[in-house]
């Protein structure tokens, strides 16, 4: 036994030592682990395949060798950079540029930087692809070299020229790949240098913008009550003003050479809109009922064409931009005035519009500092006096609209007063910011109101087009579609105005930056961050899903189902299933777009299962019963049923309950499980045809043939009684006090049962009276077993009958 244990211990120690040696032994080298090379029979097929791969590579390289698109894009960026440098020289020192010029220039630089990023990404992708191909062909080269070494040196079956051809093919492919790299690297270097220049320029503009933000609350000018302010009036102060006139650059050669067609398009679009409105106004007989756009066709055409093409003028010279602004203001004033009915309000709108245009002109001219300060102060004082006069005139009316108007006037006077105080105290930048931002805010709100009015008018005109009116679907639901489309328009307009005002009041430097800051905000939910952008996209997806569901159901109900002549229950089932399927898909899509992983709902599903097991059996039972009703359709919408002795019509079948409308115009909510598990009488399941039974009793001794004839006559004379199945009159039984008959007739609609039965009974009663057929009433015999003595004593005196001898 000891020897056995000793042997086992020795074997265990040996196995452990071998295992330790195997673990500490270094892994096999790559050459040792290399798989055996193919046999000599595969040399020529491999060579043919290698040549085919080289041909395919050359084809792909020829397609990628064309760098004209990249060079053209780079040349456009360089040209824009040269134009930018010339424009910078014309505008002078960047610190003196108007705020809008700085913001527009920054937006243009960011756009071109994005374009350069796209070019760099494309070049990087090409270089990465070439590098992957080069590694692949290098592996092929190593493979053929090792294969040649693995074969015998004097093998007659492997001639050296085969491997020489393979080596030449691979080297040619590698050389072709190497040839593609230098041009791409040169382009990459040029674009990188251009990006550095763009980044520096963007940084300079951002520094100027940041410094202007910081200077809002800093004193940058001497105050009016100091002598230093009046020392600025010197003969040489107009030198800069003369230079500012040249900066407007109305006739910039490059713009008119490359974008001159934009002005022609502007004119053509204006003439087109003017012609359409003019011809439509001539066809209108009632001239007083014309819309204000038809009363001002030229102003409408100029305004709409200017607003539509304004983004394309972003790189226009400052003078042309000023002219476009003037054109927009002059064309918008007649239209904005039409939105207000009070003369005072119309006068204020004109005043604000022309003041806004004047401020744009002064901002572009860059007046000398003291003159600019006096201009701002005088403008503030004049505005306060004029608004005070308008407010006093508006006190004569007590309308609610005038009250709101006076509140706005008071707010404007307060803003102008703050700007005047800031300017008088030497805070010129703050005063200009308050005045310019206030004017832009008012003008932006007015333009938003005008845009909403014009868009609403355009939607109404679109809905009244003959092409839409011919469609039955649009005739029935056009108003609903118009209402739902209009719900989104104010949201879009007001959102854009809000973003513009954020930029105007210098909360952000551009609309894109403001939008990015808003949509990037969010909160952390678990290990995920949910942003506003995700929520907006999810809400939009859910809203579009609901609209799509409604639109599809309307189209099916109006266009498809009537042509197919489907049953109402089938149509309702298809509509509901389609609605629930699209809604479920929309909810899942919205959750996915919101960044919520659907795997997280596994815990919720488990909790829901436990809840169903404990307390949600009835809800699940009704839900499953609702699905059964929709698929099996034992009860359909519109069916007439009898439930617990109550007659009613099925109005709506939901997934949890069914609504039954009774004949008393009341609605009974019935759980779906009751309709599936309990007995329900459905009078219209397969057919609305039903039988009416009219019971009739006549006196004993009546002429039975005459009774049957009258019953048949009553059935035949009624127009709603069917001939097939034919009516029947049957003698059913000898009753206690009558001979019993039944008149059985059929009708095509179960809803007319009571009316038909009433008509038949009235007719039978009238004919029985005419034919002297008696309808008996029940007769009863009274048997007295005991009578009190007092009643017996009075009985002979009252009736004269013989007194019974025994009345016990």
């Amino acid at each position: 036994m000891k020897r056995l244990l000793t042997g086992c211990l020795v074997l265990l120690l040996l196995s452990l030592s071998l295992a330790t040696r195997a673990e500490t032994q270094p892994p096999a080298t790559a050459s040792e682990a290399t798989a055996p090379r193919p046999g000599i029979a595969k040399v020529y097929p491999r060579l043919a395949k290698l040549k085919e791969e080289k041909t395919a590579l050359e084809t792909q390289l020829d397609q990628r060798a064309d760098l004209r698109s990249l060079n053209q894009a780079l040349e456009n960026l360089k040209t824009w950079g040269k134009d930018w440098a010339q424009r910078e020289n014309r505008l002078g020192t960047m610190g003196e540029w108007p705020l809008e010029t700085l913001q527009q220039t920054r937006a243009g630089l960011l756009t071109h930087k994005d374009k350069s990023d796209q070019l760099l990404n494309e070049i990087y992708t090409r270089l990465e692809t070439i590098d992957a191909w080069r590694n692949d062909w290098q592996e092929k080269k190593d493979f053929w070299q090792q294969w040649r070494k693995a074969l015998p040196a004097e093998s007659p079956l492997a001639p050296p020229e085969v491997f020489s051809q393979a080596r030449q093919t691979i080297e040619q492919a590698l050389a072709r790949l190497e040839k593609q790299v230098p041009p791409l690297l040169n382009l990459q270097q040029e674009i990188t240098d251009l990006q550095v220049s763009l980044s520096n320029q963007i940084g300079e503009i951002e520094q100027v913008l940041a410094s202007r933000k910081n200077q809002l609350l800093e004193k940058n000018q001497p105050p009016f009550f100091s002598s230093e302010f009046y020392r600025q009036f010197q003969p040489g102060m107009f030198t800069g003003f003369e230079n500012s006139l040249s900066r407007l650059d109305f006739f910039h050669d490059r713009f008119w050479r490359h974008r001159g067609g934009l002005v022609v398009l502007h004119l053509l679009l204006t003439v087109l809109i003017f012609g359409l409105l003019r011809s439509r106004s001539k066809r209108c007989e009632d001239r007083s009922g014309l819309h204000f756009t038809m009363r001002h066709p030229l102003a409408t055409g100029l305004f709409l064409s200017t607003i539509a093409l304004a983004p394309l003028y972003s790189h226009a010279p400052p003078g042309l931009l000023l002219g476009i602004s003037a054109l927009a203001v002059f064309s918008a004033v007649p239209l904005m005035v039409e939105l207000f009915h009070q003369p005072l309000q119309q006068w204020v709108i004109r005043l604000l519009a022309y003041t806004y245009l004047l401020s744009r002109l002064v901002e572009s001219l860059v007046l000398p500092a003291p003159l600019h300060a006096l201009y701002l102060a005088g403008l503030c004082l004049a505005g306060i006096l004029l608004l005070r006069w308008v407010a006093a005139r508006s006190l004569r009316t007590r309308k609610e609209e005038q009250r709101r108007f006076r509140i706005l006037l008071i707010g404007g006077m307060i803003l102008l007063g703050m700007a005047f105080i800031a300017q008088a105290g030497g805070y010129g930048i703050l005063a200009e910011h308050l005045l310019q931002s206030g004017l832009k805010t008012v003008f932006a709100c007015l333009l938003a109101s005008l845009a909403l009015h014009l868009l609403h008018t355009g939607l109404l005109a679109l809905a009244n087009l003959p092409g839409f009116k011919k469609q039955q679907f649009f005739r029935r639901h056009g108003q609903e579609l118009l209402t739902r489309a209009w719900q989104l328009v104010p949201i879009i307009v007001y959102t854009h105005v809000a973003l513009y005002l954020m930029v105007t009041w210098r909360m952000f430097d551009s609309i894109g930056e403001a939008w990015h800051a808003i949509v990037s905000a969010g909160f952390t939910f678990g290990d995920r961050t949910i942003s506003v952008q995700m929520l907006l996209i999810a809400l939009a997806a859910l809203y579009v899903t609901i609209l799509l569901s409604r639109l599809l159901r309307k189209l099916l109900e109006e266009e498809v189902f009537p042509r197919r002549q489907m049953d109402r229950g089938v149509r309702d089932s298809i509509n509901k299933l389609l609605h629930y399927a699209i809604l479920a898909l929309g909810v899942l899509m919205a959750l996915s777009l919101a960044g919520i992983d659907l795997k997280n709902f596994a815990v919720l599903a488990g909790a829901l299962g436990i809840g169903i097991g404990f307390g949600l059996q009835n809800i699940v039972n009704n839900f499953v019963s609702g699905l059964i009703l929709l698929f099996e359709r034992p009860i359909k919408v519109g069916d007439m049923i009898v439930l617990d002795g109550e007659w009613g019509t099925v109005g709506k079948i939901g997934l949890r309950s069914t609504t039954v409308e009774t004949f008393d115009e009341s609605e009974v909510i019935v759980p779906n499980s009751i309709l599936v598990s309990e007995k329900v009488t459905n009078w219209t399941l397969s057919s609305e045809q039903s039988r009416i039974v009219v019971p009739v009793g006549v006196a004993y001794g009546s002429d039975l043939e005459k009774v049957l004839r009258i019953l048949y006559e009553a059935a035949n004379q009624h127009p709603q009684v069917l001939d097939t199945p034919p009516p029947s009159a049957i003698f059913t039984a000898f009753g206690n006090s009558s001979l019993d008959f039944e008149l059985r007739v059929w009708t095509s609609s179960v809803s007319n049962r009571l009316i038909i039965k009433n008509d038949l009974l009235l007719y039978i009663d009238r004919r029985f009276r005419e034919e002297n057929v008696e309808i008996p009433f029940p007769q009863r015999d009274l048997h007295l077993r005991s009578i009190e003595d007092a009643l017996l004593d009075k009985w002979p005196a009252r009736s004269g009958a013989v007194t019974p001898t025994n009345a016990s």
Side-chain angles (χ1 to χ4, degrees):
M1 189 66 179
K2 292 181 180 180
R3 293 180 180 178
L4 180 60
L5 293 175
T6 304
C8 292
L9 182 60
V10 171
L11 290 175
L12 180 60
L13 292 174
L14 288 174
S15 62
L16 290 175
S17 63
L18 290 175
T20 305
R21 183 179 299 177
E23 292 178 358
T24 57
Q25 186 177 2
T29 61
S31 59
E32 295 174 349
T34 303
R37 298 297 167 185
I40 198 65
K42 293 184 178 181
V43 171
Y44 288 100
R46 286 291 184 102
L47 179 62
K49 184 178 179 181
L50 186 66
K51 292 181 178 180
E52 291 178 359
E53 292 176 351
K54 176 179 173 292
T55 303
L57 176 66
E58 290 176 347
T59 302
Q60 293 178 351
L61 290 177
D62 290 337
Q63 294 175 355
R64 294 174 177 267
D66 189 7
L67 303 178
R68 286 180 295 180
S69 60
L70 296 177
N71 288 323
Q72 183 62 40
L74 179 59
E75 188 63 29
N76 292 336
L77 291 176
K78 290 181 178 179
T79 303
W80 188 89
K82 294 178 182 178
D83 293 342
W84 155 253
Q86 296 176 2
R87 184 183 182 187
E88 187 177 6
N89 293 330
R90 289 193 305 269
L91 292 177
T93 306
M94 191 178 295
E96 298 178 357
W97 290 3
L99 179 62
E100 289 190 356
T101 304
L102 287 171
Q103 293 174 343
Q104 292 174 359
T105 305
R106 179 177 178 271
L109 291 173
L110 289 174
T111 301
H112 283 75
K113 188 174 183 300
D114 292 338
K115 292 181 180 179
S116 64
D117 288 338
Q118 293 176 2
L119 287 177
L120 281 179
N121 290 333
E122 185 174 352
I123 294 174
Y124 174 77
T125 303
R126 292 192 181 189
L127 289 173
E128 195 175 34
T129 304
I130 291 175
D131 191 54
W133 287 344
R134 183 169 53 189
N135 293 334
D136 182 46
W137 281 91
Q138 188 64 44
E139 291 178 359
K140 288 182 173 63
K141 182 178 181 180
D142 296 339
F143 172 81
W144 280 87
Q145 289 177 354
Q146 294 175 4
W147 192 6
R148 180 69 184 89
K149 293 179 180 179
L151 294 176
E154 303 297 333
S155 176
L157 298 178
E161 58 269 14
V162 176
F163 292 93
S164 176
Q165 292 180 13
R167 185 179 67 257
Q168 292 177 1
T169 302
I170 295 174
E171 289 178 352
Q172 291 174 1
L174 290 173
R176 187 69 187 276
L177 288 171
E178 293 292 339
K179 187 178 179 181
Q180 299 291 323
V181 175
L184 293 175
L185 291 177
N186 293 333
L187 279 175
Q188 193 177 41
Q189 181 64 37
E190 292 182 13
I191 296 173
T192 303
D193 295 340
L194 182 62
Q195 259 196 339
V196 172
S197 176
L198 290 174
S199 299
N200 293 333
Q201 293 168 355
I202 293 172
E204 292 178 4
I205 294 178
E206 289 180 347
Q207 287 180 358
V208 174
L209 292 173
S211 64
R212 288 197 179 184
K213 284 183 180 180
N214 297 330
Q215 291 173 0
L216 281 177
L217 300 178
E218 294 179 0
K219 183 182 293 187
N220 63 311
Q221 294 177 356
F224 286 173
F225 47 81
S226 67
S227 59
E228 185 180 355
F229 175 79
Y230 300 99
R231 293 196 195 100
Q232 296 178 357
F233 291 94
Q234 297 177 0
M237 67 179 181
F238 289 99
T239 305
F241 177 70
E242 294 174 356
N243 294 331
S244 65
L245 292 176
S246 62
R247 295 173 186 171
L248 294 179
D249 194 14
F250 286 96
F251 303 100
H252 184 49
D253 294 338
R254 177 170 175 79
F255 177 82
W256 291 103
R257 188 170 60 252
H258 295 279
R259 293 288 185 92
L262 180 60
V263 179
V264 178
L265 177 63
H266 196 160
L267 293 176
L268 291 177
L269 186 59
T270 302
V271 173
L272 177 62
I273 298 174
F274 170 77
L276 291 175
L277 294 176
R278 185 80 176 196
S279 61
R280 188 175 181 85
S281 63
K282 289 181 178 180
R283 291 196 300 266
C284 187
E285 298 179 357
D286 186 10
R287 308 297 297 179
S288 62
L290 288 176
H291 193 264
F292 69 83
T293 55
M294 298 181 187
R295 293 196 296 269
H296 305 282
L298 182 59
T300 304
L302 283 173
F303 177 75
L304 292 179
S305 59
T306 304
I307 294 299
L309 299 178
L312 301 179
Y313 284 101
S314 57
H315 302 298
L320 185 58
L321 288 176
L322 183 61
I324 295 298
S325 301
L327 187 64
V329 170
F330 283 116
S331 61
V333 166
L335 303 178
M336 289 190 297
V337 166
E338 294 286 347
L339 299 178
F340 301 90
H341 304 291
Q342 298 296 328
L344 279 176
Q345 296 177 357
Q346 296 177 354
W347 186 80
V348 171
I349 295 304
R350 292 189 181 94
L351 177 63
L352 289 174
Y354 299 142
T355 304
Y356 172 75
L357 186 59
L358 178 62
S359 66
R360 288 293 306 271
L361 178 61
V362 172
E363 184 181 8
S364 301
L365 291 177
V366 190
L367 292 175
L371 292 180
H372 190 264
L374 291 177
Y375 158 75
L376 290 179
L379 186 61
C380 292
L381 287 177
I384 292 173
L385 295 176
L386 287 173
L387 294 182
R388 179 68 183 87
W389 177 76
V390 173
R393 290 286 301 271
S394 64
L395 288 174
R396 300 176 183 178
T397 58
R398 299 294 181 182
K399 295 182 179 180
E400 183 66 22
E401 182 180 357
Q402 292 287 13
R403 181 174 175 271
R404 293 194 296 267
F405 180 59
R406 285 194 296 271
I407 293 175
L408 293 176
L409 292 176
I410 293 172
M413 287 188 289
I414 293 174
L415 182 64
L416 291 174
M418 293 172 60
F420 176 78
I421 294 172
Q423 184 63 56
Y427 295 90
I429 296 179
L430 177 61
E432 184 178 6
H433 171 65
L434 292 175
L435 184 60
Q436 297 288 347
S437 300
L439 286 173
K440 291 178 181 179
T441 300
V442 174
F443 209 64
C445 294
L446 291 174
L447 286 178
S449 300
L450 179 59
L452 287 175
H453 194 85
L454 292 177
L455 288 173
H456 189 258
T457 305
L459 286 176
L460 291 177
L462 183 64
N464 292 326
L465 289 177
F468 287 101
K469 287 187 175 181
K470 292 179 181 179
Q471 300 293 330
Q472 182 180 4
F473 176 79
F474 288 101
R475 285 201 306 271
R476 293 185 178 180
H477 306 287
Q479 187 62 36
E480 181 182 355
L481 293 176
L482 181 64
T483 303
R484 294 192 176 277
W486 179 247
Q487 290 175 352
L488 297 176
V489 174
I491 297 176
I492 298 174
V493 173
Y494 288 136
T495 300
H496 187 78
V497 170
L499 294 174
Y500 173 77
L501 293 181
M502 289 180 184
V503 177
T504 299
W505 289 96
R506 300 194 184 181
M507 299 172 64
F508 299 97
D509 293 331
S510 65
I511 293 178
E513 182 181 348
W515 175 254
H516 179 72
I518 292 173
V519 299
S520 299
F523 58 92
T524 303
F525 181 75
D527 57 346
R528 291 184 175 273
T529 300
I530 299 178
S531 63
V532 176
Q533 182 178 6
M534 293 180 179
L535 294 178
L536 290 177
I537 294 175
L539 291 176
L542 191 60
Y543 183 75
V544 171
T545 301
I546 294 174
L547 288 183
L548 180 62
S549 173
R550 291 182 177 178
L551 180 61
L552 289 178
R553 286 186 294 158
K554 293 291 185 181
L555 286 174
L556 290 175
E557 193 68 30
E558 302 292 340
E559 301 293 337
V560 179
F561 291 154
R563 299 176 183 177
R564 300 291 182 178
Q565 297 181 353
M566 290 185 176
D567 182 70
R568 182 179 178 183
V570 177
R571 292 182 295 179
D572 186 71
S573 299
I574 294 176
N575 277 335
K576 287 188 177 298
L577 292 175
L578 181 65
H579 172 66
Y580 293 133
I582 294 178
L583 190 61
L585 181 62
V587 171
L588 294 177
M589 185 183 301
L591 292 175
S592 178
L593 292 174
I596 299 176
D597 193 355
L598 298 181
K599 295 180 180 178
N600 296 331
F601 286 90
V603 179
L604 180 61
L608 184 61
I610 296 174
I612 292 173
F614 281 101
L616 300 178
Q617 296 96 334
N618 291 333
I619 295 177
V620 176
N621 186 16
N622 291 324
F623 175 77
V624 175
S625 300
L627 295 177
I628 293 173
L629 292 177
L630 289 177
F631 282 101
E632 188 178 343
R633 296 189 299 110
I635 294 175
K636 304 180 295 295
V637 175
D639 283 354
M640 185 176 294
I641 65 174
V642 180
L643 183 65
D644 293 336
E646 186 75 25
W647 287 67
T649 304
V650 179
K652 176 184 176 182
I653 300 178
L655 287 181
R656 190 195 65 83
S657 61
T658 298
T659 303
V660 179
E661 300 175 0
T662 65
F663 294 160
D664 298 330
E665 296 298 330
S666 62
E667 293 181 343
V668 180
I669 309 301
V670 183
N672 290 332
S673 58
I674 294 178
L675 298 176
V676 173
S677 60
E678 296 186 6
K679 179 180 178 181
V680 180
T681 303
N682 190 345
W683 284 87
T684 57
L685 177 60
S686 58
S687 173
E688 291 192 5
Q689 183 174 306
S690 64
R691 190 180 70 171
I692 303 173
V693 178
V694 182
V696 177
V698 300
Y700 278 91
S702 301
D703 188 353
L704 302 184
E705 298 296 333
K706 182 189 294 185
V707 172
L708 292 174
R709 177 174 54 80
I710 293 174
L711 295 179
Y712 276 110
E713 183 181 337
N716 293 328
Q717 62 83 31
H718 200 285
Q720 296 185 8
V721 172
L722 298 178
D723 296 332
T724 303
S728 61
I730 303 172
F731 178 28
T732 58
F734 293 96
N736 293 332
S737 58
S738 63
L739 300 175
D740 297 333
F741 291 82
E742 283 186 359
L743 174 60
R744 301 176 180 178
V745 298
W746 293 83
T747 180
S748 59
S749 177
V750 69
S751 59
N752 297 329
R753 285 173 53 85
L754 297 178
I755 298 175
I756 296 174
K757 188 172 183 179
N758 174 71
D759 295 341
L760 293 176
L761 289 173
L762 290 175
Y763 183 85
I764 292 171
D765 177 68
R766 180 172 58 81
R767 293 291 292 129
F768 277 3
R769 283 188 278 102
E770 291 176 358
E771 298 291 342
N772 296 322
V773 177
E774 181 183 358
I775 299 177
F777 52 86
Q779 298 179 3
R780 298 291 183 266
D781 294 334
L782 183 60
H783 300 277
L784 299 177
R785 301 186 60 182
S786 61
I787 301 177
E788 295 181 359
D789 295 337
L791 293 177
L792 291 175
D793 294 340
K794 296 179 180 180
W795 181 265
R798 290 181 176 271
S799 61
V802 180
T803 303
T805 57
N806 186 10
S808 55

